[in-house]
Every structure is written in C-alpha cells, then in structure tokens.
Amino acid sequence: MREENCIFCKIANGEIPSATVYEDENFRAILDLNPASKGHTIILPKNHFKDVCELDENTSAAVLPVAARIGAAMKASLGCTGFNLVQNNGASAGQTVFHFHMHVIPRYEDGPAMVTWEQHQSEAEELQQTATQIKNNL
Ligand code: AMP
Ligand code: ZN
C-alpha cells in the first residue's frame, strides 16, 4: 500500500530521515519542514492514501486520538495554549502533497494568525437547497 514516487510514503516508512515526534504501526508524525509555528507537526499514515476520501476505516478511526495526544503533548512541552487540526483535500483546498496527512498546529498567545475565510449572508431557502444537493450524493 505504498506508492513508488511518494515522498511521504518514504518518510513515513523511515526511508528518508525526519524529525519524528511519534510513531506506531500505522503512523509516523514528523515536524513540518516549513512550520506555521514552533512544533507544527504532520501525521502521516504508513500506507498511501491520496486524501481523506481514500482513507480506510481503521486509519481514520486511529488518526484523531493520535492528533489529540500530540496536541496535548505540545501544550505540556512547548507552552502553546491551543492547537488547530488542519487537513487539506485537493489542490483547490491547499493540498500540495497527495498522501493524506493531518496538520497539528500549535497556537501561542501571539499567534500564528488564525486560518480564516470571509463569511457571507445566506437565505434559509438557499441553505436548504444546498443541503439537499449534498444529501442526495451521500
Ligand atoms: P499540504 O499543503 O496540506 O499538502 O501540506 C504539506 C505540508 O508538508 C507542508 O506544510 C510542507 O511544508 C510539508 N512538507 C513537504 N515536504 C516535507 C518534508 N520533506 N518534510 C517535512 N514536511 C514537508
Ligand atoms: Zn504516499
């Protein structure tokens, strides 16, 4: 379940060295090479999944507890007061490496700046219509 030319497959399976903060049979969690803040970690499954839609049930059930443990350890060790879990799917969503990964980004009193988006007003009818579109494709 590895992909030939995938850098995260190689890192997750120890073929390329990394600053590893956590490892078990399913995952390796490493420090991001270009951190948003001190301690920014990415959790990589050892098997190759392109994104969250490809993830198998075991891996998806296991990833959140790992993220919670790492976030708690960051608070205990680095002095951050919170952390964000971020997970990008698709180039338009900011995904640049197409091997599923979960970001754990420590938040300190002075930053980094929050991940933001512009919010818009929406009518109830439009919300219902959109909900129906999604629901019909589940
Ligand atoms: P995403 O934009 O969600 O696909 O995130 C990819 C992340 O992987 C970025 O934050 C990169 O800085 C990080 N990254 C890319 N290559 C490496 C690498 N060799 N070691 C550690 N982090 C990496
Ligand atoms: Zn891979």
Side-chain angles (χ1 to χ4, degrees):
M1 288 267 281
R2 295 187 204 172
E3 194 151 291
E4 189 74 8
N5 287 319
C6 174
I7 186 163
F8 280 5
C9 279
K10 293 188 173 123
I11 293 173
N13 291 285
E15 287 167 40
I16 294 178
S18 61
T20 295
V21 305
Y22 174 86
E23 185 180 6
D24 65 21
E25 56 181 336
N26 298 313
F27 301 103
R28 181 189 297 270
I30 65 166
L31 292 186
D32 194 294
L33 211 50
N34 304 110
S37 61
K38 181 181 166 70
H40 180 168
T41 294
I42 46 180
I43 305 170
L44 317 176
K46 291 185 174 177
N47 287 326
H48 183 87
F49 306 96
K50 184 180 66 166
D51 60 22
V52 74
C53 298
E54 280 197 354
L55 222 51
D56 67 29
E57 278 189 21
N58 284 345
T59 310
S60 47
V63 71
L64 269 186
V66 171
R69 274 185 72 188
I70 292 172
M74 286 168 169
K75 287 171 72 177
S77 61
L78 300 178
C80 61
T81 48
F83 59 92
N84 292 106
L85 302 180
V86 178
Q87 200 276 305
N88 300 324
N89 299 284
S92 61
Q95 187 175 9
T96 58
V97 182
F98 293 87
H99 172 124
F100 173 93
H101 51 280
M102 171 90 72
H103 296 260
V104 188
I105 305 177
R107 306 297 304 272
Y108 300 87
E109 290 303 343
D110 60 351
M114 187 58 191
V115 178
T116 56
W117 52 83
E118 211 177 302
Q119 291 190 289
H120 305 276
Q121 295 277 347
S122 187
E123 301 300 327
E125 194 186 329
E126 188 194 343
L127 293 178
Q128 284 302 339
Q129 236 174 43
T130 308
T132 303
Q133 278 179 285
I134 299 170
K135 229 185 307 186
N136 288 346
N137 285 279
L138 289 175

Short mmCIF file of all heavy atoms in Angstrom, two decimals, residues 85-135:
data_model
loop_
_atom_site.label_atom_id
_atom_site.label_comp_id
_atom_site.label_asym_id
_atom_site.label_seq_id
_atom_site.Cartn_x
_atom_site.Cartn_y
_atom_site.Cartn_z
N LEU A 85 -6.22 21.44 14.26
CA LEU A 85 -6.07 20.29 13.37
C LEU A 85 -6.54 20.76 11.99
O LEU A 85 -7.66 21.25 11.86
CB LEU A 85 -6.93 19.11 13.84
CG LEU A 85 -6.64 18.61 15.25
CD1 LEU A 85 -7.56 17.43 15.58
CD2 LEU A 85 -5.19 18.23 15.41
N VAL A 86 -5.67 20.62 11.01
CA VAL A 86 -5.99 21.08 9.65
C VAL A 86 -5.69 19.93 8.71
O VAL A 86 -4.67 19.24 8.86
CB VAL A 86 -5.14 22.30 9.26
CG1 VAL A 86 -5.44 22.74 7.84
CG2 VAL A 86 -5.36 23.45 10.24
N GLN A 87 -6.58 19.73 7.75
CA GLN A 87 -6.39 18.59 6.84
C GLN A 87 -6.93 19.00 5.48
O GLN A 87 -8.11 19.24 5.33
CB GLN A 87 -7.13 17.38 7.45
CG GLN A 87 -6.67 16.05 6.93
CD GLN A 87 -7.37 15.72 5.64
OE1 GLN A 87 -8.59 15.72 5.56
NE2 GLN A 87 -6.60 15.45 4.60
N ASN A 88 -6.05 19.13 4.50
CA ASN A 88 -6.42 19.66 3.18
C ASN A 88 -6.67 18.52 2.19
O ASN A 88 -5.88 17.57 2.14
CB ASN A 88 -5.30 20.55 2.65
CG ASN A 88 -5.02 21.73 3.57
OD1 ASN A 88 -5.93 22.29 4.17
ND2 ASN A 88 -3.75 22.11 3.69
N ASN A 89 -7.72 18.66 1.41
CA ASN A 89 -8.07 17.66 0.40
C ASN A 89 -8.26 18.32 -0.95
O ASN A 89 -9.23 19.06 -1.14
CB ASN A 89 -9.35 16.91 0.79
CG ASN A 89 -9.18 16.18 2.10
OD1 ASN A 89 -8.55 15.14 2.15
ND2 ASN A 89 -9.69 16.76 3.18
N GLY A 90 -7.35 18.07 -1.88
CA GLY A 90 -7.46 18.67 -3.21
C GLY A 90 -6.64 19.94 -3.31
O GLY A 90 -6.51 20.69 -2.33
N ALA A 91 -6.11 20.18 -4.52
CA ALA A 91 -5.26 21.35 -4.74
C ALA A 91 -5.99 22.65 -4.42
O ALA A 91 -5.41 23.57 -3.83
CB ALA A 91 -4.76 21.36 -6.19
N SER A 92 -7.28 22.71 -4.75
CA SER A 92 -8.03 23.95 -4.50
C SER A 92 -8.19 24.20 -3.01
O SER A 92 -8.45 25.32 -2.58
CB SER A 92 -9.41 23.89 -5.17
OG SER A 92 -10.14 22.81 -4.62
N ALA A 93 -8.02 23.15 -2.20
CA ALA A 93 -8.12 23.28 -0.74
C ALA A 93 -6.75 23.47 -0.10
O ALA A 93 -6.63 23.47 1.12
CB ALA A 93 -8.82 22.05 -0.16
N GLY A 94 -5.72 23.58 -0.94
CA GLY A 94 -4.39 23.83 -0.40
C GLY A 94 -3.53 22.60 -0.24
O GLY A 94 -2.42 22.68 0.30
N GLN A 95 -4.03 21.44 -0.69
CA GLN A 95 -3.20 20.23 -0.57
C GLN A 95 -2.06 20.29 -1.59
O GLN A 95 -2.29 20.55 -2.78
CB GLN A 95 -4.05 18.96 -0.82
CG GLN A 95 -3.28 17.67 -0.54
CD GLN A 95 -4.16 16.41 -0.66
OE1 GLN A 95 -5.30 16.47 -1.11
NE2 GLN A 95 -3.61 15.28 -0.26
N THR A 96 -0.84 20.10 -1.11
CA THR A 96 0.33 20.14 -2.00
C THR A 96 1.03 18.79 -2.07
O THR A 96 1.76 18.53 -3.02
CB THR A 96 1.35 21.20 -1.54
OG1 THR A 96 1.76 20.91 -0.20
CG2 THR A 96 0.75 22.60 -1.60
N VAL A 97 0.83 17.94 -1.06
CA VAL A 97 1.40 16.59 -1.09
C VAL A 97 0.22 15.61 -1.04
O VAL A 97 -0.56 15.63 -0.08
CB VAL A 97 2.35 16.33 0.10
CG1 VAL A 97 2.94 14.92 -0.01
CG2 VAL A 97 3.49 17.36 0.12
N PHE A 98 0.13 14.77 -2.08
CA PHE A 98 -1.09 13.97 -2.24
C PHE A 98 -0.94 12.58 -1.61
O PHE A 98 -1.13 11.54 -2.25
CB PHE A 98 -1.49 13.96 -3.73
CG PHE A 98 -1.91 15.34 -4.15
CD1 PHE A 98 -0.98 16.27 -4.60
CD2 PHE A 98 -3.23 15.76 -4.00
CE1 PHE A 98 -1.34 17.57 -4.92
CE2 PHE A 98 -3.62 17.06 -4.32
CZ PHE A 98 -2.67 17.96 -4.78
N HIS A 99 -0.59 12.64 -0.35
CA HIS A 99 -0.57 11.49 0.57
C HIS A 99 -1.24 12.06 1.82
O HIS A 99 -0.72 13.04 2.39
CB HIS A 99 0.89 11.06 0.81
CG HIS A 99 1.09 10.02 1.87
ND1 HIS A 99 1.74 8.81 1.63
CD2 HIS A 99 0.76 10.00 3.19
CE1 HIS A 99 1.79 8.10 2.75
NE2 HIS A 99 1.20 8.80 3.72
N PHE A 100 -2.37 11.48 2.21
CA PHE A 100 -3.14 12.03 3.35
C PHE A 100 -2.22 12.42 4.51
O PHE A 100 -1.30 11.67 4.87
CB PHE A 100 -4.12 10.97 3.86
CG PHE A 100 -4.82 11.39 5.14
CD1 PHE A 100 -6.05 12.03 5.09
CD2 PHE A 100 -4.24 11.17 6.38
CE1 PHE A 100 -6.69 12.44 6.26
CE2 PHE A 100 -4.87 11.57 7.56
CZ PHE A 100 -6.09 12.20 7.48
N HIS A 101 -2.47 13.57 5.08
CA HIS A 101 -1.77 13.97 6.31
C HIS A 101 -2.64 14.92 7.10
O HIS A 101 -3.46 15.65 6.53
CB HIS A 101 -0.40 14.59 6.01
CG HIS A 101 -0.46 15.69 4.99
ND1 HIS A 101 -0.52 15.44 3.64
CD2 HIS A 101 -0.48 17.03 5.12
CE1 HIS A 101 -0.58 16.58 2.98
NE2 HIS A 101 -0.56 17.56 3.85
N MET A 102 -2.46 14.90 8.39
CA MET A 102 -3.18 15.78 9.31
C MET A 102 -2.16 16.73 9.94
O MET A 102 -1.18 16.29 10.52
CB MET A 102 -3.86 14.92 10.39
CG MET A 102 -4.47 15.68 11.54
SD MET A 102 -6.17 16.12 11.23
CE MET A 102 -6.99 14.54 11.36
N HIS A 103 -2.42 18.03 9.80
CA HIS A 103 -1.55 19.02 10.45
C HIS A 103 -1.99 19.21 11.90
O HIS A 103 -3.20 19.31 12.17
CB HIS A 103 -1.68 20.39 9.78
CG HIS A 103 -1.23 20.45 8.35
ND1 HIS A 103 -0.01 20.94 7.99
CD2 HIS A 103 -1.85 20.10 7.19
CE1 HIS A 103 0.12 20.90 6.66
NE2 HIS A 103 -0.99 20.39 6.16
N VAL A 104 -1.03 19.28 12.81
CA VAL A 104 -1.31 19.70 14.20
C VAL A 104 -0.48 20.97 14.40
O VAL A 104 0.75 20.92 14.41
CB VAL A 104 -0.90 18.62 15.22
CG1 VAL A 104 -1.38 19.03 16.62
CG2 VAL A 104 -1.46 17.25 14.84
N ILE A 105 -1.18 22.11 14.51
CA ILE A 105 -0.50 23.41 14.51
C ILE A 105 -0.66 24.08 15.87
O ILE A 105 -1.77 24.50 16.24
CB ILE A 105 -1.06 24.33 13.40
CG1 ILE A 105 -0.95 23.61 12.04
CG2 ILE A 105 -0.30 25.66 13.38
CD1 ILE A 105 -1.52 24.38 10.87
N PRO A 106 0.43 24.17 16.63
CA PRO A 106 0.34 24.80 17.95
C PRO A 106 -0.01 26.29 17.83
O PRO A 106 0.45 26.96 16.91
CB PRO A 106 1.76 24.65 18.53
CG PRO A 106 2.46 23.68 17.66
CD PRO A 106 1.79 23.70 16.33
N ARG A 107 -0.84 26.77 18.75
CA ARG A 107 -1.22 28.18 18.78
C ARG A 107 -0.73 28.80 20.08
O ARG A 107 -1.01 28.27 21.16
CB ARG A 107 -2.74 28.32 18.68
CG ARG A 107 -3.35 27.61 17.48
CD ARG A 107 -2.85 28.22 16.18
NE ARG A 107 -3.13 29.63 16.18
CZ ARG A 107 -4.27 30.18 15.73
NH1 ARG A 107 -5.19 29.43 15.23
NH2 ARG A 107 -4.46 31.47 15.80
N TYR A 108 0.00 29.87 19.94
CA TYR A 108 0.56 30.58 21.08
C TYR A 108 -0.24 31.88 21.27
O TYR A 108 -0.98 32.29 20.38
CB TYR A 108 2.05 30.88 20.84
CG TYR A 108 2.86 29.60 20.65
CD1 TYR A 108 2.99 29.02 19.38
CD2 TYR A 108 3.44 28.95 21.72
CE1 TYR A 108 3.70 27.83 19.20
CE2 TYR A 108 4.17 27.77 21.55
CZ TYR A 108 4.29 27.22 20.29
OH TYR A 108 4.98 26.05 20.12
N GLU A 109 -0.06 32.52 22.43
CA GLU A 109 -0.83 33.74 22.70
C GLU A 109 -0.61 34.78 21.61
O GLU A 109 -1.51 35.54 21.27
CB GLU A 109 -0.46 34.33 24.08
CG GLU A 109 -0.96 33.50 25.25
CD GLU A 109 -2.49 33.28 25.25
OE1 GLU A 109 -3.20 34.01 24.54
OE2 GLU A 109 -2.94 32.34 25.94
N ASP A 110 0.61 34.77 21.01
CA ASP A 110 0.89 35.78 19.97
C ASP A 110 0.82 35.21 18.55
O ASP A 110 1.38 35.77 17.63
CB ASP A 110 2.26 36.43 20.24
CG ASP A 110 3.39 35.40 20.22
OD1 ASP A 110 3.09 34.19 20.19
OD2 ASP A 110 4.56 35.81 20.22
N GLY A 111 0.16 34.11 18.37
CA GLY A 111 -0.01 33.63 17.00
C GLY A 111 0.28 32.15 16.84
O GLY A 111 0.41 31.46 17.84
N PRO A 112 0.36 31.64 15.61
CA PRO A 112 0.29 32.38 14.35
C PRO A 112 -1.14 32.82 14.03
O PRO A 112 -2.09 32.41 14.72
CB PRO A 112 0.75 31.34 13.32
CG PRO A 112 0.31 30.03 13.92
CD PRO A 112 0.49 30.20 15.40
N ALA A 113 -1.29 33.66 12.99
CA ALA A 113 -2.61 34.16 12.60
C ALA A 113 -3.53 32.97 12.34
O ALA A 113 -3.12 31.95 11.82
CB ALA A 113 -2.49 35.01 11.35
N MET A 114 -4.78 33.16 12.71
CA MET A 114 -5.81 32.12 12.55
C MET A 114 -6.03 31.83 11.06
O MET A 114 -5.92 32.72 10.23
CB MET A 114 -7.08 32.67 13.20
CG MET A 114 -8.23 31.74 13.31
SD MET A 114 -7.81 30.27 14.23
CE MET A 114 -9.23 29.29 13.88
N VAL A 115 -6.32 30.57 10.74
CA VAL A 115 -6.79 30.21 9.40
C VAL A 115 -8.16 30.86 9.24
O VAL A 115 -9.07 30.58 10.03
CB VAL A 115 -6.94 28.68 9.27
CG1 VAL A 115 -7.46 28.28 7.90
CG2 VAL A 115 -5.62 27.99 9.59
N THR A 116 -8.31 31.76 8.28
CA THR A 116 -9.59 32.49 8.18
C THR A 116 -10.23 32.36 6.81
O THR A 116 -9.57 31.97 5.84
CB THR A 116 -9.38 34.01 8.44
OG1 THR A 116 -8.41 34.48 7.52
CG2 THR A 116 -8.95 34.27 9.85
N TRP A 117 -11.49 32.70 6.75
CA TRP A 117 -12.19 32.83 5.47
C TRP A 117 -13.24 33.90 5.65
O TRP A 117 -13.64 34.22 6.77
CB TRP A 117 -12.82 31.50 5.04
CG TRP A 117 -13.70 30.86 6.08
CD1 TRP A 117 -15.00 31.14 6.33
CD2 TRP A 117 -13.31 29.83 7.00
NE1 TRP A 117 -15.46 30.35 7.35
CE2 TRP A 117 -14.44 29.53 7.78
CE3 TRP A 117 -12.13 29.14 7.22
CZ2 TRP A 117 -14.41 28.57 8.79
CZ3 TRP A 117 -12.11 28.18 8.22
CH2 TRP A 117 -13.24 27.90 8.99
N GLU A 118 -13.64 34.48 4.47
CA GLU A 118 -14.63 35.54 4.51
C GLU A 118 -16.01 34.90 4.59
O GLU A 118 -16.30 33.96 3.85
CB GLU A 118 -14.53 36.33 3.20
CG GLU A 118 -14.89 37.78 3.32
CD GLU A 118 -14.68 38.45 1.98
OE1 GLU A 118 -13.52 38.39 1.49
OE2 GLU A 118 -15.66 38.97 1.44
N GLN A 119 -16.88 35.39 5.50
CA GLN A 119 -18.22 34.80 5.63
C GLN A 119 -19.27 35.66 4.92
O GLN A 119 -19.12 36.88 4.85
CB GLN A 119 -18.55 34.62 7.10
CG GLN A 119 -17.67 33.54 7.72
CD GLN A 119 -18.11 33.15 9.11
OE1 GLN A 119 -17.97 33.91 10.05
NE2 GLN A 119 -18.64 31.95 9.22
N HIS A 120 -20.31 35.00 4.41
CA HIS A 120 -21.34 35.70 3.66
C HIS A 120 -22.71 35.40 4.27
O HIS A 120 -22.89 34.38 4.91
CB HIS A 120 -21.34 35.25 2.19
CG HIS A 120 -20.01 35.41 1.52
ND1 HIS A 120 -19.60 36.58 0.97
CD2 HIS A 120 -18.98 34.53 1.36
CE1 HIS A 120 -18.38 36.44 0.48
NE2 HIS A 120 -17.98 35.20 0.71
N GLN A 121 -23.68 36.29 4.01
CA GLN A 121 -25.06 36.02 4.41
C GLN A 121 -25.65 34.95 3.50
O GLN A 121 -25.26 34.85 2.34
CB GLN A 121 -25.91 37.30 4.23
CG GLN A 121 -25.50 38.44 5.12
CD GLN A 121 -26.12 38.32 6.50
OE1 GLN A 121 -27.04 37.51 6.70
NE2 GLN A 121 -25.63 39.08 7.46
N SER A 122 -26.58 34.15 4.03
CA SER A 122 -27.25 33.18 3.17
C SER A 122 -28.70 33.06 3.59
O SER A 122 -29.02 33.16 4.78
CB SER A 122 -26.56 31.82 3.29
OG SER A 122 -27.11 30.94 2.34
N GLU A 123 -29.63 32.90 2.62
CA GLU A 123 -31.05 32.75 2.92
C GLU A 123 -31.34 31.30 3.30
O GLU A 123 -30.68 30.38 2.81
CB GLU A 123 -31.90 33.11 1.69
CG GLU A 123 -31.70 34.51 1.17
CD GLU A 123 -32.06 35.58 2.21
OE1 GLU A 123 -32.98 35.33 3.01
OE2 GLU A 123 -31.39 36.62 2.22
N ALA A 124 -32.39 31.11 4.16
CA ALA A 124 -32.74 29.77 4.62
C ALA A 124 -33.03 28.84 3.44
O ALA A 124 -32.63 27.67 3.43
CB ALA A 124 -33.95 29.84 5.54
N GLU A 125 -33.71 29.39 2.41
CA GLU A 125 -34.10 28.55 1.26
C GLU A 125 -32.85 28.04 0.52
O GLU A 125 -32.78 26.88 0.12
CB GLU A 125 -34.96 29.38 0.31
CG GLU A 125 -35.69 28.56 -0.72
CD GLU A 125 -36.42 29.45 -1.72
OE1 GLU A 125 -36.86 30.55 -1.32
OE2 GLU A 125 -36.53 29.03 -2.88
N GLU A 126 -31.88 28.93 0.38
CA GLU A 126 -30.64 28.54 -0.31
C GLU A 126 -29.90 27.47 0.50
O GLU A 126 -29.35 26.52 -0.05
CB GLU A 126 -29.77 29.79 -0.48
CG GLU A 126 -28.56 29.55 -1.34
CD GLU A 126 -27.53 30.68 -1.25
OE1 GLU A 126 -27.89 31.78 -0.78
OE2 GLU A 126 -26.36 30.42 -1.60
N LEU A 127 -29.91 27.64 1.84
CA LEU A 127 -29.25 26.64 2.69
C LEU A 127 -29.91 25.28 2.51
O LEU A 127 -29.24 24.24 2.40
CB LEU A 127 -29.29 27.06 4.15
CG LEU A 127 -28.47 28.30 4.54
CD1 LEU A 127 -28.66 28.64 6.02
CD2 LEU A 127 -26.98 28.10 4.23
N GLN A 128 -31.26 25.28 2.48
CA GLN A 128 -31.99 24.02 2.31
C GLN A 128 -31.66 23.36 0.98
O GLN A 128 -31.43 22.16 0.91
CB GLN A 128 -33.51 24.25 2.40
CG GLN A 128 -34.03 24.47 3.81
CD GLN A 128 -33.71 23.31 4.76
OE1 GLN A 128 -33.45 22.19 4.32
NE2 GLN A 128 -33.69 23.57 6.06
N GLN A 129 -31.60 24.18 -0.07
CA GLN A 129 -31.30 23.67 -1.42
C GLN A 129 -29.90 23.04 -1.46
O GLN A 129 -29.71 21.95 -2.00
CB GLN A 129 -31.31 24.85 -2.39
CG GLN A 129 -32.25 24.70 -3.54
CD GLN A 129 -32.28 25.98 -4.37
OE1 GLN A 129 -31.23 26.57 -4.62
NE2 GLN A 129 -33.48 26.38 -4.77
N THR A 130 -28.96 23.73 -0.86
CA THR A 130 -27.58 23.23 -0.85
C THR A 130 -27.48 21.94 -0.04
O THR A 130 -26.80 20.98 -0.44
CB THR A 130 -26.62 24.30 -0.29
OG1 THR A 130 -26.84 25.52 -0.99
CG2 THR A 130 -25.17 23.89 -0.42
N ALA A 131 -28.17 21.94 1.11
CA ALA A 131 -28.18 20.73 1.95
C ALA A 131 -28.72 19.54 1.16
O ALA A 131 -28.18 18.43 1.24
CB ALA A 131 -29.01 20.97 3.21
N THR A 132 -29.77 19.78 0.39
CA THR A 132 -30.38 18.70 -0.41
C THR A 132 -29.39 18.18 -1.46
O THR A 132 -29.26 16.97 -1.66
CB THR A 132 -31.68 19.20 -1.08
OG1 THR A 132 -32.54 19.65 -0.06
CG2 THR A 132 -32.36 18.10 -1.87
N GLN A 133 -28.69 19.11 -2.11
CA GLN A 133 -27.70 18.69 -3.13
C GLN A 133 -26.67 17.75 -2.53
O GLN A 133 -26.33 16.72 -3.11
CB GLN A 133 -26.96 19.92 -3.68
CG GLN A 133 -27.70 20.68 -4.76
CD GLN A 133 -26.88 21.88 -5.20
OE1 GLN A 133 -26.80 22.88 -4.50
NE2 GLN A 133 -26.27 21.78 -6.36
N ILE A 134 -26.15 18.12 -1.36
CA ILE A 134 -25.12 17.28 -0.73
C ILE A 134 -25.74 15.96 -0.29
O ILE A 134 -25.21 14.87 -0.57
CB ILE A 134 -24.48 18.01 0.48
CG1 ILE A 134 -23.80 19.31 0.02
CG2 ILE A 134 -23.48 17.10 1.18
CD1 ILE A 134 -23.35 20.21 1.16
N LYS A 135 -26.88 16.04 0.41
CA LYS A 135 -27.55 14.86 0.97
C LYS A 135 -27.81 13.81 -0.12
O LYS A 135 -27.64 12.61 0.09
CB LYS A 135 -28.89 15.29 1.59
CG LYS A 135 -29.09 14.76 2.98
CD LYS A 135 -30.47 15.07 3.54
CE LYS A 135 -30.84 16.53 3.49
NZ LYS A 135 -32.13 16.82 4.18
#
